[in-house]
Amino acid sequence: MPSHFRDTEQQGVPDVITGGPEPVQTITASTDIARSEGSAVDAPASGSLYAPLESKGKVVPRTGTPTISLRGVTLIYPAQPNKPALDDVSLDIYPGDFVFVVGHSGSGKSTFLRLLTREIKATKGDVIVAGQNLTKMRNWKVPYLRRQIGTVYQDFKLLPDKTVYGNVAFALECIGKPRSVIEAQVPEVLRLVGLAEKMDNFPDQLSGGEQQRVSVARAMVNRPPLLVCDEPTGNLDPAISLGIMKLLDRINQTGTTVVMATHDREMVDSMRRRVVALEAGHVVRDQERGGYGFYDAL
Amino acid sequence: MSCATKRGEATVSMMPSNLGYSIREAGQHIRRNWSTCLGAIVTIFLSLFVIGVFILGSSLVSNLVGSVEDRVTIQAFLSDGADRAAVDAYQSKVLGWSNVESVTYKSKEEALQEYRETMSNRNAEDAVAALDGQNPVPASLVIKLDDPKQVETTANQIVADQEFAAIADTPENAASSVQYGKETVDRLFSVTNYIRIAAAVLIVLLVFVAFVFINNTIRLAITARRREIGIMRLVGASNSFIRGPFVAEGAIEALVGSVLAIVSLQVGWNFLKPQLSNSLQFLSFELKPQVVIGCYVSLVLLGVVIGLFGSAIAMRRYLKV
Ligand SMILES: Nc1ncnc2c1ncn2[C@@H]1O[C@H](COP(=O)(O)OP(=O)(O)OP(=O)(O)O)[C@@H](O)[C@H]1O
Ligand SMILES: [Mg+2]
């Protein structure tokens, strides 16, 4: 197995994620992508999935326009009019960033992520993603926004009656990609996540970690510049979680901005990336090379 | 095998429409849930069939009524020796009545000529020839009415009129000099009215039922594909793409239903027409091809409207952005 993963990294990673000759629809400024891409190439194609993380503690320079920008965002669910799920949140996330969003259950992590994909609209304030103000965005434009954002969820959201290949291909079929593109990109991205050999398996023939890798593959197959993950390792045991984490890290190495909500203290502590901590809808900490922090005492 | 070349080929044929996908998905759902879909198809078929029967039937009846209404005139036969001045005077008197549209004088010669024409296919020539140049057909006043329903009242009025008795063909019994097609008229009016009302009610009901059925099957289809729809949203499928399979399913069911209705109408008509023509030889049972084609086209259109509307409403409730 390790040799297989090494193989994937050398061939697949830079090609799939940054896109070859076909221009990537960019959320980030293209120069930023190019810069991050350089760093990905520099990073040695290191061993297996379980090798030490090269990018530990990496800080993304705060230059250019932010990929994500929240300005005084308040979100009140109609069901809870007196308790805002997010209260006056302002935050910038730059291209190539890797951001952990941490906080207690009910602190507003999922709400924050749902704002980014415009599953919900801010009650007040502006959410700007890829230069577009989602608060003012027309409904019909939302699908085109989502094509630029990959999403990964705790419950995988795979279709049980489609194979691994079918599940990933479905994401491209849905947005009207021709068959030739699908046939080229799906095997590539499955190689990237290390599932090339299980292409014809159905989801219930896979382990939880493998299923989650399928959903990461589906999120990445259209080469989105932004990846949003809501507790992607919430259902997985620690060793498998680390595998997923490294996959996401590797994807981030190639320039993809990753925003990830998590409860996994060990993972946050070991990665030493940017940490945004929420509590009752407020940002209580925003720290480069942060740890899970605060909650150590609990 | 380099990835670059593969992608190069791929960019050549971009953006296919999702029509094929939609039809495939719809077909799959229909195959898996054929009993519900069959229900929708049958209700569409039934309502369109009844509508078709109504359209064709009323076109047929209005042809018939048109020819019968022409015949709803009163003929007042005049004696051969009637004074022409008296006839003229009586003609203008009747014309003065409020419900009378026109009164024409038909001479003996005209009447005979008409008799020849209408009877020609029943060997009238022989009968006429047997008359040896005599003309037994009386002259008459032909009275047309504004409202054909008043025919009986007006006829009685003429019979009771002393002025008419003076010039009537059979002065001793004026009633037998006055003729009109009473029975046919009565029946046609009541029957067509009832048929119209019943058909309208039936059509409204059936369209509603068909609509509910389509709506239901599409709702089922949506529930069956909930997960898929969720994922489609996630990956940025456009709303029209998500709707595609459901629109296609509604349209397919409606189309199948309307084709069935058209085929049944055509078969039924082919079977009925010879029988009708046989038993009622004096009436013409011809439908203009334009009417038939127009009817079929509007059935298909109506079916598709029901199908699309039914699925659109189902989707509106279940596919919010
Ligand atoms: N659809 C909704 N309607 C009403 N209130 C909601 C809704 N979704 C979330 N909330 C409330 O908003 C607050 C934030 O919820 P959110 O799901 O963002 O928390 P979270 O940080 O993701 O929690 P967890 O770690 O358990 O996933 C909670 O108080 C929750 O009860
Ligand atoms: Mg959550």
Side-chain angles (χ1 to χ4, degrees):
Chain A
M1 282 311 268
S3 68
H4 172 68
F5 286 142
R6 192 175 298 128
D7 194 39
T8 10
E9 277 196 19
Q10 280 160 352
Q11 293 185 352
V13 179
D15 202 22
V16 167
I17 299 305
T18 56
E22 195 184 53
V24 179
Q25 282 192 314
T26 48
I27 274 187
T28 55
S30 53
T31 48
D32 291 322
I33 275 210
R35 211 178 297 146
S36 329
E37 196 181 335
S39 73
V41 173
D42 294 341
S46 57
S48 80
L49 215 54
Y50 302 101
L53 287 164
E54 297 299 327
S55 60
K56 193 171 171 174
K58 187 183 138 213
V59 175
V60 170
R62 297 288 167 87
T63 52
T65 41
T67 300
I68 298 168
S69 184
L70 273 67
R71 305 250 163 272
V73 172
T74 296
L75 188 119
I76 299 171
Y77 285 109
Q80 294 193 1
N82 300 321
K83 180 181 157 289
L86 287 178
D87 194 358
D88 195 23
V89 170
S90 295
L91 190 68
D92 284 333
I93 295 175
Y94 287 86
D97 238 344
F98 194 119
V99 180
F100 285 113
V101 181
V102 301
H104 289 296
S105 182
S107 56
K109 303 183 295 293
S110 298
T111 304
F112 170 65
L113 298 186
R114 292 224 291 268
L115 280 171
L116 302 184
T117 53
R118 243 286 314 249
E119 274 170 73
I120 48 178
K121 243 190 209 178
T123 315
K124 221 175 78 196
D126 293 326
V127 178
I128 295 155
V129 176
Q132 289 172 294
N133 191 336
L134 305 198
T135 313
K136 292 180 186 146
M137 181 178 261
R138 310 289 295 270
N139 276 346
W140 66 266
K141 277 187 165 175
V142 171
Y144 302 95
L145 168 80
R146 292 192 186 148
R147 288 176 198 190
Q148 302 190 55
I149 306 175
T151 42
V152 179
Y153 291 93
Q154 182 172 1
D155 59 353
F156 317 144
K157 295 194 193 294
L158 300 178
L159 293 170
D161 56 348
K162 285 192 196 295
T163 61
V164 166
Y165 180 94
N167 266 284
V168 177
F170 185 62
L172 292 178
E173 284 166 14
C174 280
I175 58 176
K177 292 280 186 208
R179 183 166 298 173
S180 49
V181 168
I182 295 173
E183 280 167 2
Q185 288 186 2
V186 175
E188 254 181 62
V189 78
L190 284 174
R191 238 183 292 132
L192 165 74
V193 301
L195 284 175
E197 279 137 44
K198 308 228 162 158
M199 222 144 64
D200 298 323
N201 288 31
F202 287 90
D204 60 2
Q205 299 168 324
L206 300 176
S207 73
E210 286 167 332
Q211 291 188 45
Q212 191 59 298
R213 277 190 272 159
V214 177
S215 88
V216 171
R218 185 183 57 200
M220 293 312 301
V221 71
N222 195 34
R223 300 164 189 171
L226 172 62
L227 191 58
V228 169
C229 312
D230 196 353
E231 305 191 35
T233 59
N235 269 346
L236 307 173
D237 72 47
I240 305 288
S241 299
L242 189 62
I244 298 292
M245 194 56 239
K246 288 190 176 172
L247 180 59
L248 295 177
D249 183 56
R250 225 196 294 148
I251 288 164
N252 172 245
Q253 294 295 299
T254 64
T256 305
T257 311
V258 179
V259 181
M260 173 171 164
T262 185
H263 277 132
D264 194 331
R265 171 186 320 216
E266 259 175 67
M267 190 183 291
V268 176
D269 285 340
S270 72
M271 292 280 292
R272 290 287 155 191
R273 305 299 288 265
R274 183 174 172 193
V275 172
V276 172
L278 292 175
E279 209 172 286
H282 296 273
V283 176
V284 292
R285 180 164 57 106
D286 184 352
Q287 192 179 11
E288 296 297 346
R289 293 197 205 113
Y292 200 78
F294 285 144
Y295 306 107
D296 284 328
L298 296 170
Chain B
M1 188 164 60
S2 117
C3 300
T5 43
K6 272 194 277 174
R7 242 182 261 125
E9 288 161 23
T11 44
V12 177
S13 66
M14 284 299 283
M15 300 311 285
S17 84
N18 65 328
L19 190 70
Y21 165 84
S22 300
I23 291 174
R24 240 185 305 126
E25 291 290 311
Q28 204 177 50
H29 183 261
I30 292 176
R31 241 177 292 124
R32 283 187 194 160
N33 304 58
W34 60 269
S35 55
T36 11
C37 300
L38 195 68
I41 291 173
V42 167
T43 45
I44 287 244
F45 156 68
L46 274 183
S47 46
L48 292 184
F49 181 73
V50 171
I51 292 169
V53 166
F54 176 61
I55 295 177
L56 295 183
S58 68
S59 137
L60 201 61
V61 167
S62 77
N63 280 352
L64 293 180
V65 171
S67 55
V68 172
E69 271 176 2
D70 273 346
R71 280 177 230 170
V72 181
T73 49
I74 300 170
Q75 293 222 42
F77 296 105
L78 306 173
S79 70
D80 289 354
D83 175 26
R84 193 57 212 265
V87 171
D88 285 347
Y90 191 66
Q91 183 175 358
S92 34
K93 176 184 172 184
V94 174
L95 194 57
W97 293 352
S98 59
N99 62 333
V100 172
E101 185 191 303
S102 70
V103 183
T104 35
Y105 176 78
K106 197 194 281 175
S107 69
K108 284 175 74 75
E109 292 70 33
E110 284 166 339
L112 181 65
Q113 183 61 28
E114 202 171 82
Y115 175 78
R116 268 197 184 122
E117 277 165 10
T118 53
M119 295 292 132
S120 60
N121 52 356
R122 300 190 187 173
N123 294 335
E125 280 309 322
D126 299 343
V128 173
L131 294 173
D132 276 340
Q134 285 206 357
N135 184 353
V137 189
S140 61
L141 285 176
V142 179
I143 300 147
K144 272 196 179 174
L145 305 181
D146 283 333
D147 179 4
K149 282 177 206 166
Q150 302 239 331
V151 70
E152 192 169 359
T153 331
T154 312
N156 288 339
Q157 211 173 337
I158 296 170
V159 169
D161 199 328
Q162 282 306 314
E163 264 184 75
F164 175 67
I167 53 172
D169 188 30
T170 51
E172 64 284 357
N173 181 7
S176 66
S177 291
V178 176
Q179 281 189 0
Y180 62 93
K182 182 186 160 199
E183 272 142 56
T184 21
V185 174
D186 282 354
R187 219 169 294 139
L188 272 177
F189 280 114
S190 52
V191 167
T192 49
N193 267 346
Y194 285 131
I195 288 179
R196 265 179 203 148
I197 293 166
V201 170
L202 199 59
I203 284 170
V204 169
L205 269 177
L206 283 171
V207 167
F208 180 73
V209 170
F211 182 81
V212 167
F213 257 76
I214 286 270
N215 199 45
N216 241 356
T217 47
I218 299 303
R219 244 153 47 181
L220 256 157
I222 291 172
T223 324
R225 301 179 73 237
R226 270 243 149 105
R227 270 182 94 85
E228 257 169 288
I229 293 170
I231 291 165
M232 285 167 138
R233 287 242 187 77
L234 216 73
V235 300
S238 64
N239 287 338
S240 64
F241 185 91
I242 296 176
R243 286 194 192 111
F246 306 111
V247 176
E249 182 173 338
I252 289 173
E253 285 163 1
L255 269 182
V256 172
S258 53
V259 168
L260 283 180
I262 289 172
V263 168
S264 321
L265 282 173
Q266 192 61 48
V267 168
W269 178 236
N270 286 347
F271 171 77
L272 256 183
K273 190 181 161 187
Q275 304 209 337
L276 281 176
S277 315
N278 266 341
S279 51
L280 298 164
Q281 285 183 344
F282 57 94
L283 293 173
S284 105
F285 289 97
E286 282 306 325
L287 285 169
K288 289 197 191 105
Q290 307 96 281
V291 172
V292 176
I293 289 168
C295 170
Y296 291 170
V297 168
S298 43
L299 286 188
V300 172
L301 289 182
L302 185 63
V304 170
V305 166
I306 294 175
L308 293 185
F309 242 93
S311 39
I313 292 210
M315 285 184 292
R316 220 167 52 115
R317 270 170 79 194
Y318 287 80
L319 297 184
K320 290 192 192 105
V321 185

